Amino acid sequence: MTEQTYSKTELMICVAARLFEDGTTCFIGTGIPMLAAMLASKTTAPNLVPVFEFGGTGAILEELPRAVGEARTFHKGISALGICDTMETAQRGFIDYGFLGGAQIDPYGNLNSVTIGEHDHPKVRLPGSGGGNDVGSHCWQTIAIMQHDARRFVPKVDFLTTPGFLTGPGARVAAGLPPGTGPIAVVSTLALMDYHPESCRMRLKSLHPGVTVEEVVANTGFELVIPDKVGANAPPSAEELRLLRDEIDPEKLYI
Amino acid sequence: MTEQTYSKTELMICVAARLFEDGTTCFIGTGIPMLAAMLASKTTAPNLVPVFEFGGTGAILEELPRAVGEARTFHKGISALGICDTMETAQRGFIDYGFLGGAQIDPYGNLNSVTIGEHDHPKVRLPGSGGGNDVGSHCWQTIAIMQHDARRFVPKVDFLTTPGFLTGPGARVAAGLPPGTGPIAVVSTLALMDYHPESCRMRLKSLHPGVTVEEVVANTGFELVIPDKVGANAPPSAEELRLLRDEIDPEKLYI
Amino acid sequence: MQVLESGIGELIQPFDLDEFREWNRTKKTRKLVDKRMTEQEAIRQFVYDGCYIGTELYGTVRCPMSLAREVVRQGRKNLRVCGQGVLELDLWLAAGIIKKLDITYIGLEVYGTTAALRRAVESGQVETCVEWSNGSISWRMKAAAMGVPFLPTRSMLGTDMLKYSAAKVVEDPFTGTKVALLPALVLDVALIHVHRADKHGNCQIEGISGFALEMSRACKRLIISAEEIIPTEEIRKYPDRTVIPYYLVDAVVHAPYGSYPGEMAYMYGRDEPGIKEWVEMSKTAEGAKEYLDKYVYGLKNHAEYLKLIGDERLQQAVELREKRE
Amino acid sequence: MQVLESGIGELIQPFDLDEFREWNRTKKTRKLVDKRMTEQEAIRQFVYDGCYIGTELYGTVRCPMSLAREVVRQGRKNLRVCGQGVLELDLWLAAGIIKKLDITYIGLEVYGTTAALRRAVESGQVETCVEWSNGSISWRMKAAAMGVPFLPTRSMLGTDMLKYSAAKVVEDPFTGTKVALLPALVLDVALIHVHRADKHGNCQIEGISGFALEMSRACKRLIISAEEIIPTEEIRKYPDRTVIPYYLVDAVVHAPYGSYPGEMAYMYGRDEPGIKEWVEMSKTAEGAKEYLDKYVYGLKNHAEYLKLIGDERLQQAVELREKRE
């Protein structure tokens, strides 16, 4: 049996895909979350209901959407409505998961996709919240997918775009966000993280193959909670890689 | 040339129909307003745009609607949407006229369609506002169509359902209703009334054939403004009657 | 932005946004399961004494009349009702099963006021009438559908409607405009009749949409009756025609001529004699009882009702339908 | 219901409900008049320097790209823009014609962040960015569309989004829930691309509706571009498919392939090389200028643009369309 080779991105997508729960509604952001959702729907979550913000719900993901409004987001879908309906569906508590990216993340899972540096005189102007803030506000559980390095995993995000736990325990509800919501995981190029149930701080959960705790710590710009037992993420299976390469991203837009 | 005979209701419908302005949008309530709108669209207002509250806009009124939601309200219409869209269109200032009925009207053109007697222990329970209150609140100009007698033309309505001028000059705006809106006419079985521009009180404008000022006053439960010159409403023309009887209400639901 | 005025009407169905969210999280499956059942099963399972219930659209227009009759047949009582209604609510009033009303309009339209409403309210059998305009009640459902606790409007300002409602008047903090705030409304049960649905509850409607979109998103339980049950492949072919997605739906009842004696746009027209029969008989309590005996209590279900009406009259209604031409 | 917190962002386009009503009363005809014109006429007549403008949906999805190019071609400047955008707003940013942004997202989606946005904002050429989420900006338009001064939401609470927006936080007077109030947004001009319209402006859309319904009802001037101009009889045959009624519309521009290189559901797919060309060239100011010279300034109109693209590529896009099957 030959060892498969795979990229960090492929691994990240596979680990993320395994987090999708079958038979749930899931808000899918642009990019990597789309690949993960497709992989999940072709493997462990055949009854996943993908929701795309501009109106597509329940699409059959036969081809990779390259935009959150294109026809692939409602291909053989169960409904194609508008953005208000989708966001209001989330606001009513109907969307179980939200999969998101961002340029920065902090220990409480807050995400930044607006500016690096000061808002009014930014060093880097990023695209903006898009639906990110809405997803982080209304979906029951959110999962972030990020490259792992110390410039991205920062003690404090330059601009708090998408709410994680804000300043810590109780802060979401105090701010008026719906009870019972919040981030539950971060999938990075190095590991899978969750959050400590009491402190709400990011916690290492399991390592990608070949990655050490020290490597994760060195690439994280804040103190990560390290539990006594750290798990190990399985490498991509041959089938996962085949699906990713042949069916999901044959044009190699991401992988 | 033979004298035509006609009923009071037929006359009222004809006088009301002549008030429709061609090329305007017009909210049409159930009943007599529908007949008047149909007659107008077949005579002086061929480009009238009827709006029915449950979603029909721009219907061609070939057959009399018997309900504000039935297919005749969007027959060959330009759109068939929902009640929120229609009411919001009015709230945005897009509906020029509203034609309404009611059980009682007062000198300021306020209408009652909720209860006779006390609200919580009514002598007569009427159907309720329906869209009446919305029409009276948001349309630019409203016209009431009523049987004329002292039980209906009262000094104070038992329940103020649909806003006319409320308590008089300035009261609508003070209450928060949109500036520039309000009642402009009442068509009754006896006469056509408008409102005094300063006092906002109902004023006799023109009499139906054969009706005297004294008769109108005797059948009005409050002091009507009587101008120096009172006009005369033309009787139904042969063509108006033909349209009403043969095309608009051949089943004699109203006439 | 202080409250300038508060209606004295009872908030018959108070709204709790977080509780509604939790309900939608835990009680509404996201799975595509077969929700088809008979009208008996649907009403038995989801409609209970004292529940807050509403029907869409109007008794004579795309209205779940077969479900409305089944509610009476099963003897549900003390209903709290969100009411703009014609035949369907009149039937309920005549059957004496309504206790409280968020009322906008209950009348017979072209045939005028209803005697059944008068008897029920003037006798005190209906304990409470809270007043709303048609726009306001729709916006109250729209608020819930949007997942927000209230929506502003300029309806009802300055009138007794505001006073006898449960709305509140405030000044808009941006412009100073005075607006009425309408509290969100979530029904315990909603009944909606549609042209087509698949077995999961994905629904298509033709003609006006009334307040189907708002009501379907503003209820805890949603019973759909449909003229036709279609394959899910057909739904997926036209995702842009699904106005009510399956995850909102709890029961799908196949009900051909479900709106009869009312109409269904592009399928069948109103049966005028059928409507007039109720108009006449409901003028007295005895007549109404006789009508209920004949068309509701005396029949087992909608199939028996259709048999009683007979193919000929149903076919006549089809002839009278609005056509796409 | 006092204001607990106010965003410090500029209200770039303040809202006056009564002025909007007056506009809708006096400047929008209810008559069915022929509103067809060329894209040059429409932009010349309705888009002016400094106006507050927006496009629907996204540069790659049912977007009025031909109109967006014409705005650049005519040298309109100092635009204040309501921005969720991909290619269309990127083009405007690269052309240097945007002064202020109510920004939600401007990016190249699958191709990442945009260099044109970075250059325009980091250099200070775009003077102001006020932040909103995609939901919030849509609800701001929905508020205007409803004719109300604000709508509540729980989006943006607790974040810097709220701080750098122009929203306000209050407590709901019914339940005490904390909500953000979003001020209504009325655009001076909106550009919307649709599948079909008649000459009066009655519009049909297929696939997702994005925020077309809200934006079309939340603007003073509305320019429609349409793949196909159809007879009014066809509109009247399917009144339930008219999502934008004519009285909202000021100009109707016939624009086949109007969304190219983006897509039009069920008509044509994205032209990936066409999109990548912008992605690559826009990485530098020089490259962007070269692109603009080639595809905008160097051409007289959309017809010349289509000639430059060529039938073969357009036909390829048609092959790639989503199909009803």
Side-chain angles (χ1 to χ4, degrees):
Chain A
M1 187 176 156
T2 47
E3 262 317 80
Q4 290 266 355
T5 61
Y6 52 84
S7 72
K8 283 187 173 184
T9 303
E10 285 174 330
L11 174 59
M12 179 167 71
I13 295 167
C14 292
V15 173
R18 297 171 200 151
L19 296 176
F20 284 82
E21 196 183 334
D22 198 27
T24 61
T25 45
C26 195
F27 226 116
I28 311 292
T30 293
I32 298 285
M34 288 176 177
L35 285 87
M38 272 188 85
L39 183 56
S41 73
K42 286 170 186 283
T43 53
T44 52
N47 303 303
L48 185 76
V49 183
V51 180
F52 295 93
E53 60 185 300
F54 285 107
T57 297
I60 294 180
L61 298 172
E62 290 176 0
E63 291 182 295
L64 182 65
R66 296 148 301 182
V68 289
E70 73 162 312
R72 292 171 183 189
T73 63
F74 52 91
H75 173 69
K76 298 183 185 171
I78 61 109
S79 67
L81 297 159
I83 182 169
C84 286
D85 187 74
T86 307
M87 291 301 183
E88 292 159 12
T89 300
Q91 197 159 239
R92 285 202 310 281
F94 265 108
I95 315 290
D96 301 313
Y97 290 94
F99 271 73
L100 291 165
Q104 292 181 327
I105 192 166
D106 76 9
Y108 293 113
N110 302 305
L111 292 164
N112 174 18
S113 52
V114 170
T115 49
I116 305 293
E118 272 180 42
H119 177 266
D120 293 345
H121 303 282
K123 217 167 71 183
V124 182
R125 174 67 222 198
L126 301 164
S129 157
N133 172 277
D134 305 299
V135 170
S137 299
H138 307 297
C139 293
W140 287 104
Q141 306 192 306
T142 53
I143 295 169
I145 308 186
M146 308 264 304
Q147 297 277 333
H148 205 137
D149 61 58
R151 285 182 313 118
R152 293 171 197 267
F153 283 65
V154 295
K156 191 173 182 308
V157 287
D158 288 19
F159 188 101
L160 202 172
T161 309
T162 299
F165 289 110
L166 300 175
T167 55
R172 282 182 69 96
V173 169
L177 293 170
T181 58
I184 57 158
V186 185
V187 184
S188 79
T189 37
L190 297 179
L192 172 64
M193 275 71 61
D194 63 3
Y195 295 87
H196 189 281
E198 267 134 55
S199 70
C200 293
R201 287 183 61 99
M202 199 186 294
R203 175 173 73 177
L204 182 61
K205 184 161 195 240
S206 48
L207 294 163
H208 290 349
V211 177
T212 63
V213 172
E214 291 66 33
E215 197 178 341
V216 173
V217 167
N219 282 284
T220 303
F222 54 83
E223 200 180 329
L224 200 62
V225 179
I226 310 288
D228 294 341
K229 260 175 92 171
V230 174
N233 302 319
S237 70
E239 175 63 4
E240 283 172 331
L241 286 176
R242 188 193 66 74
L243 287 167
L244 260 182
R245 294 169 185 177
D246 297 352
E247 295 187 15
I248 296 172
D249 192 12
E251 295 171 66
K252 305 221 171 301
L253 289 167
Y254 291 91
I255 61 174
Chain B
M1 188 176 156
T2 46
E3 266 310 85
Q4 290 267 356
T5 59
Y6 51 85
S7 72
K8 283 186 173 183
T9 302
E10 286 173 330
L11 175 59
M12 179 166 71
I13 294 167
C14 291
V15 173
R18 297 172 200 150
L19 295 177
F20 283 83
E21 195 184 336
D22 197 29
T24 60
T25 44
C26 196
F27 227 116
I28 312 291
T30 292
I32 297 285
M34 287 177 178
L35 284 88
M38 272 189 86
L39 182 56
S41 73
K42 286 171 187 282
T43 53
T44 53
N47 303 302
L48 185 77
V49 183
V51 179
F52 296 94
E53 63 187 298
F54 285 107
T57 296
I60 295 180
L61 298 172
E62 291 176 0
E63 292 183 296
L64 181 67
R66 295 148 301 184
V68 291
E70 74 163 309
R72 293 171 183 191
T73 64
F74 52 90
H75 173 68
K76 298 183 186 171
I78 61 110
S79 67
L81 296 158
I83 183 170
C84 286
D85 187 74
T86 306
M87 292 301 185
E88 292 159 12
T89 300
Q91 197 159 241
R92 285 201 312 281
F94 265 107
I95 314 290
D96 301 313
Y97 291 95
F99 272 73
L100 293 165
Q104 292 180 327
I105 191 166
D106 76 10
Y108 294 112
N110 302 305
L111 292 164
N112 174 18
S113 52
V114 169
T115 48
I116 305 292
E118 271 179 46
H119 177 267
D120 293 346
H121 303 282
K123 217 166 71 182
V124 181
R125 173 68 222 197
L126 301 164
S129 157
N133 174 278
D134 305 298
V135 169
S137 299
H138 306 297
C139 293
W140 287 103
Q141 307 192 304
T142 53
I143 295 169
I145 309 186
M146 310 261 305
Q147 297 276 334
H148 205 137
D149 63 56
R151 286 183 311 118
R152 291 170 199 268
F153 284 65
V154 295
K156 192 173 183 306
V157 289
D158 288 19
F159 188 100
L160 202 172
T161 309
T162 299
F165 289 111
L166 300 175
T167 55
R172 280 181 71 94
V173 170
L177 292 170
T181 57
I184 57 158
V186 185
V187 184
S188 79
T189 37
L190 297 179
L192 172 64
M193 274 70 62
D194 63 1
Y195 293 87
H196 189 281
E198 268 133 56
S199 71
C200 293
R201 287 182 62 99
M202 201 185 294
R203 175 172 73 176
L204 182 60
K205 185 162 194 240
S206 50
L207 295 162
H208 290 348
V211 176
T212 63
V213 172
E214 291 65 36
E215 197 178 340
V216 174
V217 167
N219 282 285
T220 303
F222 54 83
E223 200 181 330
L224 201 60
V225 179
I226 310 288
D228 293 341
K229 261 175 90 170
V230 174
N233 302 319
S237 70
E239 175 63 4
E240 284 173 331
L241 287 176
R242 188 193 66 76
L243 288 167
L244 262 181
R245 294 169 185 177
D246 296 353
E247 295 188 16
I248 296 172
D249 193 13
E251 294 172 66
K252 304 220 171 304
L253 289 167
Y254 291 91
I255 61 174
Chain C
M1 195 170 169
Q2 73 196 89
V3 173
L4 305 173
E5 190 186 344
S6 289
I8 60 169
E10 182 185 341
L11 191 52
I12 294 179
Q13 176 83 334
F15 174 67
D16 181 330
L17 182 46
D18 292 329
E19 191 231 332
F20 187 43
R21 279 183 57 94
E22 194 61 36
W23 179 279
N24 289 337
R25 180 185 202 174
T26 56
K27 307 280 177 131
K28 307 290 267 196
T29 182
R30 281 67 159 137
K31 297 211 173 92
L32 288 163
V33 298
D34 190 343
K35 295 167 188 159
R36 283 173 299 177
M37 54 184 86
T38 65
E39 72 244 23
Q40 289 95 322
E41 290 168 328
I43 302 300
R44 190 173 308 126
Q45 193 171 340
F46 296 117
V47 180
Y48 50 93
D49 288 355
C51 73
Y52 190 101
I53 186 169
T55 57
E56 200 265 354
L57 179 61
Y58 253 12
T60 57
V61 178
R62 195 174 50 67
C63 186
M65 290 302 293
S66 65
L67 297 179
R69 282 187 292 267
E70 183 64 21
V71 169
V72 175
R73 194 177 286 124
Q74 291 197 16
R76 291 293 178 276
K77 57 184 190 291
N78 296 327
L79 301 181
R80 295 171 303 134
V81 173
C82 150
Q84 32 205 10
V86 188
L87 301 181
E88 77 287 23
L89 298 194
D90 220 31
L91 215 63
W92 287 3
L93 285 163
I97 64 175
I98 298 182
K99 188 171 158 191
K100 297 189 179 196
L101 271 173
D102 273 319
I103 188 170
T104 65
Y105 172 93
I106 300 180
L108 297 169
E109 301 215 80
V110 65
Y111 301 112
T113 56
T114 113
L117 175 72
R118 286 198 58 180
R119 286 194 298 273
V121 174
E122 293 164 21
S123 70
Q125 181 198 300
V126 170
E127 289 174 11
T128 311
C129 285
V130 182
E131 308 294 328
W132 305 93
S133 67
N134 272 354
S136 298
I137 204 88
S138 307
W139 286 317
R140 289 189 62 197
M141 289 187 252
K142 185 167 179 164
M146 292 178 67
V148 297
F150 60 83
L151 281 179
T153 177
R154 284 169 130 182
S155 283
M156 309 219 295
L157 290 172
T159 66
D160 290 331
M161 293 297 293
L162 195 286
K163 184 175 168 191
Y164 288 92
S165 76
K168 291 179 190 294
V169 180
V170 299
E171 257 182 27
D172 157 33
F174 295 99
T175 66
T177 307
K178 220 180 256 186
V179 288
L181 299 188
L182 304 166
L185 172 61
V186 172
L187 291 75
D188 293 323
V189 191
L191 313 178
I192 300 181
H193 187 59
V194 301
H195 287 72
R196 289 176 293 277
D198 72 0
K199 64 183 177 187
H200 310 298
N202 291 300
C203 300
Q204 298 179 346
I205 283 174
E206 289 187 60
I208 53 169
S209 52
F211 47 101
L213 277 74
E214 291 77 18
M215 186 180 260
S216 65
R217 287 152 176 81
C219 58
K220 291 188 170 175
R221 293 298 184 193
L222 174 55
I223 304 176
I224 292 294
S225 61
E227 291 287 331
E228 207 185 332
I229 305 293
I230 59 173
T232 300
E233 293 68 46
E234 190 65 14
I235 293 288
R236 290 189 181 275
K237 192 167 168 185
Y238 299 100
D240 39 7
R241 300 205 189 149
T242 307
V243 288
I244 301 174
Y246 73 97
Y247 53 81
L248 301 170
V249 176
D250 295 285
V252 177
V253 177
H254 184 208
Y257 300 102
S259 180
Y260 181 91
E263 66 170 76
M264 202 68 185
Y266 308 111
M267 297 189 85
Y268 50 89
R270 278 159 65 115
D271 180 18
E272 217 57 40
I275 290 171
K276 275 187 190 155
E277 193 176 353
W278 171 253
V279 170
E280 289 308 318
M281 294 183 77
S282 65
K283 283 179 178 161
T284 64
E286 297 68 34
K289 191 184 169 303
E290 201 182 316
Y291 182 99
L292 289 170
D293 283 341
K294 179 174 173 193
Y295 288 112
V296 181
Y297 299 121
L299 302 171
K300 231 171 56 197
N301 54 31
H302 184 55
E304 283 199 1
Y305 175 83
L306 293 184
K307 205 177 290 172
L308 178 63
I309 300 302
D311 283 344
E312 197 181 328
R313 281 177 73 180
L314 295 174
Q315 198 45 48
Q316 274 166 14
V318 171
E319 302 293 328
L320 291 170
R321 75 189 180 282
E322 172 73 7
K323 295 171 194 78
R324 306 261 192 205
E325 60 191 18
Chain D
M1 195 170 166
Q2 72 195 89
V3 173
L4 305 173
E5 190 185 343
S6 288
I8 60 168
E10 182 186 341
L11 192 51
I12 294 180
Q13 176 83 336
F15 175 68
D16 181 331
L17 181 47
D18 291 329
E19 191 231 332
F20 187 42
R21 279 182 58 93
E22 194 60 36
W23 179 279
N24 289 337
R25 178 185 204 175
T26 57
K27 307 279 178 132
K28 307 290 266 194
T29 183
R30 281 69 158 135
K31 298 210 173 90
L32 288 163
V33 296
D34 190 343
K35 295 169 188 158
R36 283 173 298 177
M37 54 184 86
T38 64
E39 72 244 22
Q40 289 96 322
E41 290 168 329
I43 302 300
R44 191 174 307 127
Q45 194 172 340
F46 296 115
V47 180
Y48 51 93
D49 289 353
C51 73
Y52 190 100
I53 187 170
T55 58
E56 201 265 354
L57 177 65
Y58 253 11
T60 56
V61 178
R62 195 174 48 68
C63 186
M65 289 302 292
S66 64
L67 297 178
R69 282 187 293 266
E70 183 62 22
V71 169
V72 174
R73 194 178 286 124
Q74 291 197 16
R76 291 292 179 277
K77 57 183 189 294
N78 296 328
L79 300 180
R80 296 172 301 134
V81 173
C82 150
Q84 31 204 10
V86 188
L87 300 181
E88 78 287 24
L89 297 193
D90 221 31
L91 216 62
W92 288 3
L93 285 163
I97 64 175
I98 298 182
K99 190 171 156 189
K100 296 188 179 196
L101 271 174
D102 273 319
I103 188 170
T104 63
Y105 172 92
I106 300 181
L108 298 168
E109 300 214 81
V110 64
Y111 301 111
T113 57
T114 112
L117 175 71
R118 285 198 57 179
R119 285 194 298 274
V121 174
E122 293 165 21
S123 69
Q125 182 197 300
V126 170
E127 288 174 11
T128 312
C129 285
V130 183
E131 308 293 329
W132 305 93
S133 67
N134 273 354
S136 298
I137 204 88
S138 308
W139 287 317
R140 288 190 62 197
M141 291 187 252
K142 185 167 180 164
M146 292 178 67
V148 297
F150 61 82
L151 282 179
T153 177
R154 284 169 131 180
S155 283
M156 309 219 296
L157 291 171
T159 66
D160 290 331
M161 293 297 292
L162 195 288
K163 184 175 168 194
Y164 287 92
S165 77
K168 291 178 190 294
V169 180
V170 300
E171 256 182 28
D172 157 33
F174 296 99
T175 65
T177 307
K178 220 180 257 186
V179 288
L181 299 188
L182 304 166
L185 173 60
V186 173
L187 291 76
D188 293 321
V189 192
L191 313 178
I192 300 182
H193 188 58
V194 302
H195 288 72
R196 290 175 294 277
D198 72 1
K199 62 184 178 186
H200 310 298
N202 291 301
C203 301
Q204 298 180 346
I205 283 174
E206 291 188 59
I208 53 169
S209 53
F211 48 102
L213 277 74
E214 291 77 18
M215 185 180 262
S216 65
R217 287 153 176 78
C219 57
K220 291 188 171 176
R221 293 298 184 193
L222 174 54
I223 304 177
I224 292 294
S225 60
E227 292 287 331
E228 207 184 331
I229 306 293
I230 58 172
T232 300
E233 293 68 47
E234 191 64 16
I235 293 287
R236 289 189 182 276
K237 193 168 167 182
Y238 299 99
D240 40 5
R241 299 205 189 150
T242 306
V243 289
I244 301 176
Y246 73 98
Y247 54 79
L248 302 170
V249 176
D250 294 284
V252 177
V253 177
H254 183 208
Y257 301 103
S259 179
Y260 180 90
E263 66 170 75
M264 203 66 187
Y266 307 111
M267 296 189 84
Y268 50 90
R270 278 160 63 114
D271 179 18
E272 217 57 39
I275 290 170
K276 275 187 189 155
E277 193 176 352
W278 171 253
V279 171
E280 289 308 318
M281 294 182 77
S282 65
K283 284 180 178 161
T284 65
E286 297 69 34
K289 192 185 167 303
E290 201 183 315
Y291 183 99
L292 288 170
D293 283 341
K294 179 175 175 192
Y295 289 111
V296 182
Y297 299 120
L299 302 171
K300 232 171 56 197
N301 54 31
H302 184 54
E304 284 200 0
Y305 176 82
L306 292 184
K307 206 178 289 171
L308 178 64
I309 301 303
D311 282 345
E312 197 180 328
R313 282 177 73 181
L314 296 174
Q315 199 45 48
Q316 274 166 15
V318 171
E319 303 293 329
L320 291 170
R321 76 187 180 281
E322 173 74 7
K323 296 170 194 77
R324 306 262 191 204
E325 61 191 16

